[in-house]
Amino acid sequence: MDISHCQAHLKAVYGRRNAICLPSLNDRLSRLLLVVGELQNAVRKKQAVGVHLANALAWLFAVVNHFHDLPFAAALCHKYPPDHCGYCKAKPCQCLEARSTVGDAERNKARIGLDERSQALNLHLDEFQAQQLEIYGVLNQRQGIDNVLLRLLKEICEVVALGVKTSLIESVPEQEWEYALELADVCAWIMSAGNVLDVDVSAQLAKIYGGDCPACAKRHCECIRDPFLNRH
């Protein structure tokens, strides 16, 4: 399933429930942090991690769907080109750990081009995970899963921090683009965690959340408890 359809499917199933039970952005980010913590615990205890990766991705889409038509897939294509690292321009990535943030700022401010918009319409989750493996897999394997999960937590915290910075951003579309870029980083690190742990994240997501709500079995979730937590 391409990313835009996946986003739409999860909104159709869980959108009403989340709008009532988790109306604020911080509510949803808190749940995302919680499920990443569960993923860390599963890794530490050497337990199965597929469901936790699926939960993390599902909650990422819940955050994305908090916004009205956030250009999430476009931001993924913009920040993560399919044929090289967006920072060092190499494939596989040759980035140093201490990376300058100047290129980051310049790249984030650039307007998305027509080619990237076209890519966004057809970007599939499994293809994006494979792309992350080809470009960043060697580096991430060398640094290990603990580093990948720390980077994932750091990126979620940057989304939280963006809420403080948005008053400095001039327009709503620019604010949305900044959120989309930060959430693209979260997605990239979830997929990188899947690669280091040898899990097909999109397949796990489709297995658990590809149909009706797995908790209440309804087409439109009616759960009071979080449907994305501890579901096997």
Side-chain angles (χ1 to χ4, degrees), residues 160-227:
V160 175
L162 189 57
V164 179
K165 300 175 184 176
T166 49
S167 61
L168 304 176
I169 302 174
E170 294 181 355
S171 70
V172 170
E174 288 181 5
Q175 290 181 358
E176 290 176 335
W177 184 238
E178 289 298 323
Y179 271 112
L181 290 169
E182 294 296 346
L183 291 168
D185 286 336
V186 175
C187 184
W189 284 104
I190 291 173
M191 293 306 190
S192 292
N195 286 330
V196 174
L197 295 167
D198 195 25
V199 174
D200 184 335
V201 183
S202 64
Q204 288 292 317
L205 183 75
K207 177 181 177 182
I208 300 171
Y209 298 112
D212 298 341
C213 174
C216 67
K218 300 289 180 62
R219 174 59 180 161
H220 302 291
C221 174
E222 298 179 4
C223 292
I224 299 300
R225 293 179 56 207
D226 289 338

Side-chain angles (χ1 to χ4, degrees), residues 5-215:
H5 280 91
C6 183
Q7 179 180 340
H9 166 72
L10 290 171
K11 185 174 184 177
V13 178
Y14 302 103
R16 182 178 67 174
R17 183 262 173 200
N18 288 340
I20 295 171
C21 298
L22 299 164
S24 77
L25 177 61
N26 284 339
D27 287 336
R28 301 183 190 207
L29 287 169
S30 295
R31 295 305 194 280
L32 179 56
L33 285 167
L34 179 61
V35 297
V36 172
E38 290 187 336
L39 172 60
Q40 285 184 308
N41 286 335
V43 170
R44 178 174 55 83
K45 295 176 182 178
K46 302 186 185 304
Q47 297 173 342
V49 296
V51 65
H52 300 292
L53 285 163
N55 288 346
L57 193 57
W59 271 113
L60 170 62
F61 278 110
V63 174
V64 170
N65 283 328
H66 170 78
F67 299 90
H68 175 71
D69 198 24
L70 196 75
F72 176 61
L76 278 174
C77 291
H78 178 72
K79 204 161 190 181
Y80 294 94
D83 55 355
H84 62 269
C85 170
Y87 297 96
C88 68
K89 311 302 181 186
K91 181 181 179 181
C93 173
Q94 303 295 323
C95 285
L96 299 175
E97 278 192 43
R99 182 173 59 200
S100 170
T101 59
V102 175
D104 223 357
E106 290 176 351
R107 198 158 53 96
N108 290 354
K109 288 179 181 177
R111 293 186 178 274
I112 185 168
L114 292 177
D115 289 345
E116 288 166 323
R117 289 186 187 277
S118 177
Q119 292 171 19
L121 293 175
N122 301 303
L123 183 62
H124 285 65
L125 283 167
D126 57 346
E127 294 172 351
F128 183 69
Q129 182 173 355
Q131 169 187 316
Q132 294 300 106
L133 179 62
E134 290 179 3
I135 298 174
Y136 304 102
V138 173
L139 181 61
N140 289 334
Q141 284 285 357
R142 186 165 67 240
Q143 293 182 334
I145 187 59
D146 288 340
N147 177 75
V148 170
L149 293 177
L150 283 173
R151 289 300 302 269
L152 173 55
L153 287 169
K154 175 179 177 290
E155 296 300 340
I156 298 172
C157 290
E158 287 187 8
V159 180
V160 175
L162 189 57
V164 179
K165 300 175 184 176
T166 49
S167 61
L168 304 176
I169 302 174
E170 294 181 355
S171 70
V172 170
E174 288 181 5
Q175 290 181 358
E176 290 176 335
W177 184 238
E178 289 298 323
Y179 271 112
L181 290 169
E182 294 296 346
L183 291 168
D185 286 336
V186 175
C187 184
W189 284 104
I190 291 173
M191 293 306 190
S192 292
N195 286 330
V196 174
L197 295 167
D198 195 25
V199 174
D200 184 335
V201 183
S202 64
Q204 288 292 317
L205 183 75
K207 177 181 177 182
I208 300 171
Y209 298 112
D212 298 341
C213 174

